[in-house]
Amino acid sequence: MINHNFIGFVSQNIAYKDNDAIISVLTKDGKKTFTAKGIQKITSKNAPNCRYFMISEFITQSKSEQSNQTLKNACCLKIYKRPFDDLLVSTSFLFIASLLDKLSDSINGYDIAIFCFEKLDEGIYPLIVLNHFLKILTAGLGYQSNLSGCVSCGKKNHLISFDFESGGFICNECFDSTRHKKINSSLLNEIYSFLKSDELYILSNDDALSIFKMYCSFYVDVLNLFVKNFDFVLKCI
């Protein structure tokens, strides 16, 4: 038997047969999937270390490098505490893990996930963290907004809207009421500063919610992705 050793966090846990589970873990080297036999039993020694909201070290076994892996041992290295006390925080953890699990074939988001988990556990307002995560994720999917002026004509003044689908800001002359929504100048300035910054940008709670809903519309209505994930977060706010 070949032993495999890796560190990461659980991104998916699916019940399998009577007491087993198929578990996916995101690591620095991508997603690892294995069968955890008997993990649903109360007496399972590995169950407490294979939960969400923690970083664990996993040892699995397989007959060959290509064959399916089975969990041998799991050891918790770190537990994030705030998700156990705050529903929106726990929902945000699951939101990040779930999206990265679904995109694991094209994006390795382990480092940004850990950064966001740390900020959530520090008490940063969850939507601020989720917006930062979505900004990185959106760029990783190849959608980059134009911040130099109106996305249609290049005009730098009289900007009255912003739209992820259109690709950036929209001026009053290019504004289409059937596609765009007018946005007040204060929020437009915050959108610009938020998208321009490479760091975690601190928004007011109201502005954070507005931007999160814009991402929601883009992913759900335009890309038809992660509908249930966004709905789940919005219901917890």
Side-chain angles (χ1 to χ4, degrees):
M1 297 290 283
I2 301 173
N3 281 348
H4 309 269
N5 185 293
F6 47 87
I7 294 172
F9 60 89
V10 173
S11 59
Q12 189 177 62
N13 186 325
I14 301 175
Y16 176 66
K17 294 184 177 179
D18 290 335
N19 296 302
D20 302 344
I22 298 175
I23 296 176
S24 293
V25 172
L26 293 185
T27 78
K28 280 185 172 293
D29 299 315
K31 183 165 75 171
K32 311 292 184 181
T33 300
F34 53 83
T35 300
K37 294 184 177 180
I39 202 165
Q40 297 186 65
K41 293 181 179 179
I42 297 177
T43 55
S44 171
K45 64 182 178 63
N46 285 323
N49 303 313
C50 294
R51 296 173 180 169
Y52 295 105
F53 318 134
M54 62 176 60
I55 305 295
S56 295
E57 182 176 16
F58 303 89
I59 299 175
T60 62
Q61 290 184 326
S62 65
K63 293 181 180 180
S64 69
E65 291 291 347
Q66 288 74 38
S67 59
N68 294 333
Q69 298 180 29
T70 302
L71 180 66
K72 180 181 179 181
N73 187 54
C75 176
C76 176
L77 302 179
K78 178 173 183 175
I79 297 177
Y80 295 103
K81 298 179 180 179
R82 198 171 289 271
F84 296 97
D85 300 322
D86 190 313
L87 178 60
L88 183 56
V89 173
S90 62
T91 300
S92 299
F93 266 80
L94 296 174
F95 178 89
I96 292 169
S98 178
L99 266 61
L100 291 178
D101 182 87
K102 293 174 182 177
L103 295 171
S104 60
D105 288 339
S106 55
I107 294 176
N108 185 343
Y110 180 81
D111 288 338
I112 184 59
I114 297 301
F115 174 83
C116 290
F117 291 165
E118 295 289 343
K119 294 304 177 182
L120 287 167
D121 213 44
E122 289 172 13
I124 302 296
Y125 183 55
L127 291 190
I128 290 176
V129 178
L130 290 187
N131 283 335
H132 180 76
F133 168 73
L134 288 168
K135 177 171 62 177
I136 304 297
L137 187 68
T138 303
L141 291 173
Y143 298 96
Q144 198 75 37
S145 297
N146 178 10
L147 303 180
S148 62
C150 176
V151 71
S152 297
C153 69
K155 189 177 177 180
K156 298 184 183 297
N157 51 14
H158 301 297
L159 303 176
I160 61 172
S161 183
F162 180 91
D163 182 58
F164 282 113
E165 181 181 7
S166 299
F169 293 97
I170 299 102
C171 72
N172 58 342
E173 293 181 1
C174 299
F175 180 81
D176 182 351
S177 60
T178 63
R179 298 176 55 206
H180 309 135
K181 293 181 180 179
K182 288 187 177 181
I183 299 176
N184 66 67
S185 58
S186 175
L187 179 56
L188 286 175
N189 287 332
E190 285 294 85
I191 292 172
Y192 175 84
S193 298
F194 161 71
L195 292 175
K196 195 74 173 176
S197 175
D198 292 329
E199 308 298 325
L200 181 73
Y201 187 80
I202 303 300
L203 298 148
S204 70
N205 289 3
D206 288 341
D207 287 346
L209 177 58
S210 296
I211 293 174
F212 183 79
K213 287 182 176 179
M214 292 172 68
Y215 274 120
C216 177
S217 296
F218 178 62
Y219 275 89
V220 173
D221 299 335
V222 179
L223 303 182
N224 195 29
L225 294 173
F226 317 131
V227 178
K228 292 182 180 179
N229 302 81
F230 276 96
D231 285 347
F232 189 35
V233 173
L234 291 171
K235 287 177 181 178
C236 295
I237 297 174

